[in-house]
């Protein structure tokens, strides 16, 4: 568990990300893919159903013994809350109400944020669009670990701890890499979330609050679904910076596993991404792919050639327009 990884720096490249060129090529060959773009009108009803399930869970756990609160927090609440973060990911691409109702999407994301307990939907939108536009961009893409993460989490045991602490690093990384001024939407997001948390405590006590917050932290840490954090862009094979996952957990995660397809066509809702692969299989079938996020986590920890440094980075050229 003390073996040290071989990497001492990120994988620096001097080429553009592959997704824009592949998008143009696919659209030229299969223009019908444009018909897949636009809002997914079922998304808002799925999100409302998930919120209803979590609100019911808040009520049910209030009278449980603590051991059962913790059990259901990891076994159930963590899955729902992680799934809800990926619903917010979907909404950040305006797939709930469409581009013409951008603010409706912003406020609906805040609504979806409530059972997570941590106000992040407004900030996520700003940074996530930069991630798509400037994938791997030095000083811009906050999905890339910091130098400290790459330097310190360099053994199997430390990588294990790093995965457990993923929610913490995703929270503080923007402040270290690319801090931005606070916006009015972020203030509203925070105020609404704090008010909800206080109301939940006032109504049903501390157990639902622990269920909510711990479920979010555990679900984004050492959890099967959190394998997507590593699977999406960590360089398991040299030269490949985006990977797709085609396993069953896509059913709980709005098809976020179809990650090459998503970066090629971010305006296509997750529900329709399998159709992209079906229409243009020759562009995706031969790319590296996964069928198990659990195996991704295991391989990342046990493979001494992999670490937080296993990411492709690039220096950006020209004007950089951030959200």
């Amino acid at each position: 568990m003390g073996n040290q990884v071989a990497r001492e720096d990120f994988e620096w490249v001097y080429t553009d990300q592959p997704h824009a060129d592949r998008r143009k090529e696919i659209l030229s060959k299969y223009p019908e893919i444009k018909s897949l773009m636009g809002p997914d009108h079922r998304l808002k009803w799925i999100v409302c159903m998930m919120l209803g399930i979590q609100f019911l869970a808040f009520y049910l756990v209030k009278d449980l013994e603590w051991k059962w609160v913790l059990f259901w927090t990891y076994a159930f609440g963590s899955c729902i809350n992680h799934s809800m973060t990926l619903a917010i990911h979907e909404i950040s691409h305006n797939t709930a109400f469409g581009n013409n109702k951008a603010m409706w999407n912003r406020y609906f994301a805040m609504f979806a944020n409530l059972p997570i307990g941590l106000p992040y939907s407004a900030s996520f939108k700003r940074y996530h669009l930069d991630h798509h536009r400037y994938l791997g961009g030095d000083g811009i893409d906050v999905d890339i670990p910091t130098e400290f993460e790459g330097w310190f989490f360099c053994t199997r045991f430390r990588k294990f701890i790093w995965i457990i602490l993923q929610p913490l690093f995703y929270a503080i990384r923007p402040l270290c890499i690319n801090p931005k001024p606070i916006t009015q939407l972020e203030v509203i997001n925070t105020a609404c979330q704090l008010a909800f948390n206080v109301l939940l405590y006032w109504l049903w006590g501390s157990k639902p609050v622990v269920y909510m917050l711990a479920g979010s932290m555990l679900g984004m840490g050492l959890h099967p679904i959190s394998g997507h954090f590593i699977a999406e862009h960590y360089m398991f094979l040299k030269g490949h910076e985006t990977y797709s996952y085609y396993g069953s957990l896509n059913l709980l995660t709005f098809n976020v596993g179809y990650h090459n397809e998503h970066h090629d066509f971010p305006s296509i809702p997750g529900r329709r991404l399998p159709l992209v692969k079906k229409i243009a299989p020759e562009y995706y079938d031969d790319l590296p792919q996964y069928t198990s996020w659990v195996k991704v986590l295991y391989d990342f920890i046990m493979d001494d050639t992999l670490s937080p440094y296993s990411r492709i980075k690039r220096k950006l050229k020209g004007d950089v327009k951030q959200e």
Side-chain angles (χ1 to χ4, degrees), residues 79-151:
C79 299
I80 295 291
N81 277 12
H82 197 137
S83 183
M84 192 62 78
T85 67
L86 294 169
I88 291 171
H89 166 256
E90 281 282 286
I91 299 165
S92 74
H93 290 284
N94 292 338
T95 55
F97 297 98
N99 293 324
N100 293 331
K101 296 179 178 178
M103 291 306 298
W104 288 34
N105 289 284
R106 300 291 76 74
Y107 286 112
F108 188 63
M110 294 182 199
F111 177 60
N113 198 152
L114 293 178
I116 296 171
L118 305 168
Y120 92 106
S121 66
S123 298
F124 176 81
K125 162 76 174 180
R126 302 175 72 197
Y127 285 103
H128 185 65
L129 296 190
D130 290 341
H131 165 67
H132 275 271
R133 191 177 294 129
Y134 304 112
L135 179 64
D138 184 36
I140 301 296
D141 185 359
V142 299
D143 193 59
I144 301 282
T146 60
E147 287 282 351
F148 170 78
E149 291 171 76
W151 167 76

Side-chain angles (χ1 to χ4, degrees), residues 10-21:
F10 299 102
E11 182 81 3
W12 289 92
V13 299
Y14 303 93
T15 56
D16 292 332
Q17 60 163 299
H19 299 288
D21 288 341

Side-chain angles (χ1 to χ4, degrees), residues 81-82 85-86 89 120 124 131 143-145 162-168 170 173 216-236 241 243 245 256-257 259 290 293 296-297 300 310-311:
N81 277 12
H82 197 137
T85 67
L86 294 169
H89 166 256
Y120 92 106
F124 176 81
H131 165 67
D143 193 59
I144 301 282
W162 182 71
I163 287 174
I164 293 174
L165 298 178
Q166 279 291 288
L168 172 64
Y170 268 96
R173 206 179 282 158
S216 295
M217 299 298 289
L218 292 171
M220 291 185 283
L222 190 64
H223 193 280
I225 296 177
S226 72
H228 79 87
F229 289 133
I230 305 299
E232 290 166 359
H233 297 294
Y234 282 81
M235 193 179 65
F236 280 66
E241 64 181 315
Y243 302 75
Y245 157 83
V256 75
H259 218 66
Y290 305 113
W293 279 334
V296 166
L297 291 173
F300 181 81
S310 300
R311 290 292 299 264

Side-chain angles (χ1 to χ4, degrees), residues 22-37:
R22 187 160 62 220
R23 181 187 311 123
K24 292 177 183 177
E25 188 174 336
I26 292 175
L27 285 176
S28 176
K29 188 173 181 179
Y30 300 107
E32 63 268 29
I33 283 181
K34 291 182 180 179
S35 67
L36 302 178
M37 300 175 184

Side-chain angles (χ1 to χ4, degrees), residues 18 41 51 75 80-81 143 149 175 251 261 274 282 322:
H41 296 294
L51 260 77
I80 295 291
N81 277 12
D143 193 59
E149 291 171 76
L175 304 177
L251 295 172
E261 295 85 343
E282 68 273 25
Q322 299 185 63

Side-chain angles (χ1 to χ4, degrees), residues 40-51 97 108:
D40 176 4
H41 296 294
R42 297 199 313 190
L43 176 61
K44 55 182 173 290
W45 303 116
I46 293 172
V47 168
C48 288
M49 179 188 70
M50 292 169 64
L51 260 77
F97 297 98
F108 188 63

